[in-house]
Amino acid sequence: MNLIDDIEYNTEREHLIIPEYGRHVQKMVNFAKSRETKEERNKVSKAIIAVMGNLQPHLRDVPDFQHKLWDQLFIMSKFDLDVDSPYPKPLKEVLEERPETLEYPQNFPKYRFYGNNIKTMIDVAVSWEDGDLKEALTYTIANHMKKCFLNWNKDTVEDDVIFNHLFELSDGKINLKGSREALVDSVSLLKTTSKKKYTNTSSKKGHQKKNNNSSRGKKRY
């Protein structure tokens, strides 16, 4: 019965702050905190650092490896260990500080075929002053949108559809509705896309054929 009473269950044990080092290293850290003199704490702490280093030999060549070990020692001591560290003691507030929320890029599920960069291009065009350059950029974006639309739906699309989408994506700041200038016709855009795909395919086949020919001339031993 006494043996059963002495059994320690994980649910009753102290929480491991850095589980990678195991429970024995955590007990050593707690032992260092219990020493009364700073001289004793310094001596035990250096021994703990040596043990921690032996547990991670693959990190010996990593810059600031010792600095990392001392930081981890303070973390495992819950920042209550009073010793002379060769490095600045990390601040608990800094480590527990939550990172700033990242801003995710805007998504337009209805118009995924335009790609995620189209919104950035539109925002740049909106920021430019009115003039010939802005007008040229606006129509370049519209033609690019038309090409993307045709890649998604290889049929045809009226310019008014593209102009309406551009108006919506720019929050009404770019309005080409009723424009007399037409975009590049669908047939030309489809030909450009098909030609590009054919060129890429031909270059790959030529590269494979060249490799096959070169391998035929080699002697096999």
Side-chain angles (χ1 to χ4, degrees), residues 62-78:
V62 176
D64 296 331
F65 174 60
Q66 289 291 319
H67 192 173
K68 179 181 179 180
L69 292 180
W70 279 95
D71 286 348
Q72 292 176 335
L73 176 63
F74 285 117
I75 292 172
M76 286 190 290
S77 69
K78 298 180 180 179

Side-chain angles (χ1 to χ4, degrees), residues 46-59:
K46 290 179 181 178
I48 296 173
I49 291 295
V51 173
M52 293 168 62
N54 290 333
L55 292 175
Q56 302 187 66
H58 59 287
L59 294 177

Side-chain angles (χ1 to χ4, degrees), residues 9 18 30 41 45-46 48 63 69 85 90 94 121 125 127 148 155 171-172 179 190 206 215 220:
Y9 295 94
I18 303 182
N30 295 340
R41 293 194 296 270
S45 296
K46 290 179 181 178
I48 296 173
L69 292 180
S85 170
V94 175
M121 297 167 63
S127 66
C148 292
D155 188 4
D171 297 326
S179 174
L190 288 173
S215 61
R220 296 182 180 180

Side-chain angles (χ1 to χ4, degrees), residues 25-145:
V25 174
Q26 182 65 56
K27 288 183 177 180
M28 293 169 64
V29 175
N30 295 340
F31 175 77
K33 291 170 57 178
S34 66
R35 299 300 85 197
E36 296 182 357
T37 65
K38 197 170 189 178
E39 183 179 355
E40 288 182 285
R41 293 194 296 270
N42 286 338
K43 184 177 180 180
V44 176
S45 296
K46 290 179 181 178
I48 296 173
I49 291 295
V51 173
M52 293 168 62
N54 290 333
L55 292 175
Q56 302 187 66
H58 59 287
L59 294 177
R60 289 188 180 278
D61 297 330
V62 176
D64 296 331
F65 174 60
Q66 289 291 319
H67 192 173
K68 179 181 179 180
L69 292 180
W70 279 95
D71 286 348
Q72 292 176 335
L73 176 63
F74 285 117
I75 292 172
M76 286 190 290
S77 69
K78 298 180 180 179
F79 303 92
D80 292 334
L81 182 60
D82 183 18
V83 293
D84 295 326
S85 170
Y87 306 98
K89 184 177 179 179
L91 298 177
K92 181 180 180 181
E93 296 77 12
V94 175
L95 291 176
E96 293 181 349
E97 184 179 3
R98 297 185 64 180
E100 296 181 1
T101 304
L102 293 175
E103 294 183 1
Y104 286 89
Q106 293 178 333
N107 266 334
F108 298 91
K110 292 192 301 182
Y111 309 128
R112 290 181 179 177
F113 44 85
Y114 290 135
N116 291 329
N117 292 329
I118 195 66
K119 180 60 177 173
T120 303
M121 297 167 63
I122 292 173
D123 291 340
V124 171
V126 170
S127 66
W128 284 13
E129 295 182 359
D130 293 338
D132 293 339
L133 287 177
K134 181 176 181 177
E135 184 179 357
L137 177 60
T138 300
Y139 276 96
T140 299
I141 294 173
N143 280 310
H144 177 70
M145 292 172 63

